[in-house]
Amino acid sequence: MTIAQEEAVEASLDPANVVGPARRPMSRNRLVWLRLKGMPRFWVGAAVIIFIIVWAFIGPALYAWSPTERDPLNMNMGPTMIHWFGTNAIGQDLYAQTLSGLQKSLVIGLIAGPAATLIAAVVGSTAGYLGGWVDKSIGWFVHLLLVIPSFFILVLLSPIYKGLSWVALTIFLAIFSWMIMAQVVRSQTRSLRNRDFVRAARYMGMPTGQILRRHIIPNIASLLIIDATLGVVSAIMAETSLSYFGFGVQKPDVSLGTLLADGTAAALTRPWLFVFPAMVLIILLFAISLIGDALRDAIDPTSGVNRG
């Protein structure tokens, strides 16, 4: 054996030169998770949201007062050891009412936001994929709904749902909050429907609904996740605004919007009636926005400068 052959054999036996099996490519979900792990704002937002949800739904069980219970001896009192957030003009405990209002706002936001995204995904992907008269009809309908802001539409429809429970308000918020995202999904679907994998599925005779579920919507899932997260913020803001002006949650139900409306007139003389509900609302919206911002950067790093 020549010297060159001996060196080649030794090199092949060196562990550093042994080529192992090809490593499997990292999945998109794991890649997104690894990016999220390195973003402090995601963990801050997630921790605050978890705390707020636990506080809203478990806190009332650990507190002595209920939202409707009155204390005639401590009306219009500031925060004390007995009433942590103070009381209103009729002696109701503001801490208990804030937790009750927070529950309502959370449930409305967590249902209406993702529901609006689901409607946008179905309508937008159907219009973009089918094209033709279906696309034109849906596009015309969406443009018609966008002519008047959804807030004013909900105000005009308030006589219908005001007499019903807050569940009706949640449904109406979802119905009139999907149009802009539907336009984005429609545009993205148009660019995907001529891709090779979509054409192959169509030539194989796969039904339209199955193509949308398996090939179209998964490829725009990042946009939908971001929209659903930020949609929670939009739904909470819309509910709070409607309730503040008397078009949303109606008494005896309580939401953060109704508490802010009741406390506005006394913001200078009895600031606790306004400050505590306002602080809870601001912290809630800020935490959800942090999560939405982190998800956007993790799913699409090119969407902006990664500040994590």
Side-chain angles (χ1 to χ4, degrees):
M1 182 180 293
T2 63
I3 295 177
Q5 289 174 332
E6 290 178 356
E7 291 177 350
V9 172
E10 291 177 358
S12 66
L13 295 176
D14 188 352
N17 296 326
V18 175
V19 179
R23 300 179 64 180
R24 295 181 61 185
M26 186 179 298
S27 67
R28 180 176 177 80
N29 291 338
R30 178 161 177 76
L31 181 60
V32 169
W33 172 243
L34 290 176
R35 290 171 182 164
L36 283 176
K37 286 174 65 176
M39 296 182 183
R41 64 185 182 278
F42 170 76
W43 294 109
V44 171
V48 173
I49 287 297
I50 292 173
F51 171 79
I52 288 177
I53 292 175
V54 172
W55 178 46
F57 290 96
I58 296 181
L62 306 177
Y63 194 61
W65 298 90
S66 69
T68 57
E69 191 176 359
R70 299 181 182 182
D71 184 359
L73 301 179
N74 292 286
M75 296 187 294
N76 279 328
M77 293 293 294
T80 63
M81 293 299 294
I82 299 176
H83 301 284
W84 295 355
F85 284 3
T87 60
N88 59 17
I90 59 176
Q92 292 176 324
D93 186 272
L94 187 61
Y95 179 83
Q97 288 203 324
T98 300
L99 291 184
S100 179
L102 179 59
Q103 287 180 8
K104 198 80 79 265
S105 297
L106 279 172
V107 172
I108 291 174
L110 291 173
I111 293 176
T117 300
L118 179 61
I119 296 173
V122 173
V123 175
S125 60
T126 301
Y129 179 75
L130 294 179
W133 67 269
V134 175
D135 186 24
K136 291 180 180 179
S137 300
I138 293 177
W140 176 84
F141 180 67
V142 170
H143 287 139
L144 179 64
L145 291 177
L146 289 174
V147 170
I148 304 176
S150 58
F151 181 84
F152 294 106
I153 297 177
L154 291 168
V155 170
L156 293 174
L157 295 175
S158 61
I160 297 176
Y161 61 79
K162 278 175 66 174
L164 304 174
S165 68
W166 56 269
V167 177
L169 174 62
T170 306
I171 295 172
F172 275 85
L173 283 173
I175 291 175
F176 293 101
S177 303
W178 55 269
M179 291 82 72
I180 295 177
M181 189 60 194
Q183 293 285 65
V184 176
V185 173
R186 177 185 171 205
S187 176
Q188 292 293 317
T189 303
R190 284 176 174 175
S191 65
L192 289 171
R193 68 183 179 185
N194 292 322
R195 297 284 184 88
D196 292 339
F197 59 91
V198 176
R199 286 183 176 180
R202 187 162 57 243
Y203 293 153
M204 292 172 61
M206 188 176 293
T208 299
Q210 198 169 353
I211 292 175
L212 295 179
R213 290 195 306 270
R214 289 189 177 183
H215 300 291
I216 300 296
I217 292 179
N219 278 280
I220 56 175
S222 58
L223 293 174
L224 298 178
I225 293 172
I226 296 170
D227 182 72
T229 305
L230 298 180
V232 175
V233 177
S234 299
I236 293 175
M237 284 292 293
E239 178 276 319
T240 302
S241 302
L242 288 168
S243 299
Y244 182 86
F245 291 108
F247 300 109
V249 175
Q250 302 295 310
K251 294 182 178 180
D253 286 331
V254 180
S255 77
L256 294 179
T258 61
L259 292 177
L260 291 174
D262 292 340
T264 299
L268 297 179
T269 57
R270 290 167 290 162
W272 62 87
L273 295 177
F274 181 84
V275 170
F276 287 116
M279 287 178 58
V280 170
L281 177 64
I282 291 171
I283 293 172
L284 171 62
L285 297 179
F286 181 68
I288 300 175
S289 297
L290 283 179
I291 295 176
D293 186 61
L295 281 170
R296 181 195 63 197
D297 287 348
I299 292 172
D300 183 13
T302 62
S303 61
V305 179
N306 194 326
R307 297 179 298 278

